[in-house]
Amino acid sequence: MAKTSKAASSGIAINIGISEKDRAAVAQGLSRLLADTYTLYLTTHNFHWNVTGPMFNTLHTMFMAQYTELWNAVDPIAERIRSLGHVAPGSYAAYGKLASVADAPAEPPKALEMVRILVQGHEAVARTARGLFAAVQKAGDEPTADLLTQRLTVHEQTAWMLRSLLED
């Protein structure tokens, strides 16, 4: 669960037009989104390292572009949590509790199974982002709504592109 930052608890009031209760709800949802994004980043990077087979070059390059995009996404999510006056989670233990995305398999799967796993991961992150909109709209939190829209666009498009590789 997102916790109030030291700045907020030390008497420096946050007055951005969003109540503490609404900021806490949004920060908690963003913490889940951060955990999902980081978990998917790690899985995608793992698959980049371990992919083999006839599609090696294509998938190795594609996975690199995808993990780079995911890596670049974690900071804005974490910084939005901080902007709302809460601590961003940043440990594997915290992510394990918060994430809806499954951890990477212990043994690297075959290339097309990697693709299937990443489709599921991107769809899970999209569901997490979409599920946060009600709290964001209730709070009138336009910056978070913008962030969620950007993340949804990326995850839905990436899932589509990966699914396309699975068609005969």
Side-chain angles (χ1 to χ4, degrees):
M1 181 170 202
K3 296 179 183 165
T4 303
S5 71
K6 286 185 180 184
S9 65
S10 66
I12 301 172
I14 296 174
N15 185 8
I16 60 172
I18 302 173
S19 72
E20 170 55 33
K21 181 179 176 184
D22 287 345
R23 285 187 290 111
V26 172
Q28 179 60 32
L30 286 171
S31 293
R32 288 190 301 273
L33 182 63
L34 180 60
D36 277 355
T37 302
Y38 199 93
T39 303
L40 185 57
Y41 154 76
L42 188 58
T43 298
T44 306
H45 210 152
N46 174 326
F47 290 173
H48 165 79
W49 292 326
N50 292 301
V51 68
T52 60
M55 295 177 61
F56 171 80
N57 281 332
T58 300
L59 293 179
H60 186 73
T61 301
M62 178 185 279
F63 294 164
M64 184 184 337
Q66 291 172 3
Y67 79 68
T68 300
E69 194 287 326
L70 290 162
W71 177 253
N72 289 325
V74 296
D75 206 51
I77 297 167
E79 289 180 355
R80 185 65 196 148
I81 294 167
R82 297 296 295 142
S83 296
L84 293 169
H86 292 266
V87 175
S91 71
Y92 290 119
Y95 292 158
K97 293 176 185 171
L98 291 166
S100 67
V101 174
D103 197 5
E107 293 293 320
K110 298 286 186 191
L112 289 181
E113 184 58 22
M114 288 177 174
V115 172
R116 281 186 193 87
I117 290 168
L118 293 178
V119 167
Q120 293 167 351
H122 282 280
E123 289 176 345
V125 179
R127 288 190 302 273
T128 298
R130 186 167 274 110
L132 185 50
F133 268 108
V136 168
Q137 289 171 343
K138 179 181 179 290
D141 184 356
E142 290 81 5
T144 300
D146 182 53
L147 176 67
L148 294 174
T149 300
Q150 292 174 42
R151 298 312 310 149
L152 277 166
T153 300
V154 168
H155 292 293
E156 290 177 356
Q157 185 176 47
T158 302
W160 156 64
M161 289 181 176
L162 289 165
R163 271 193 310 272
S164 295
L165 292 170
L166 300 173
E167 293 184 10
D168 291 332

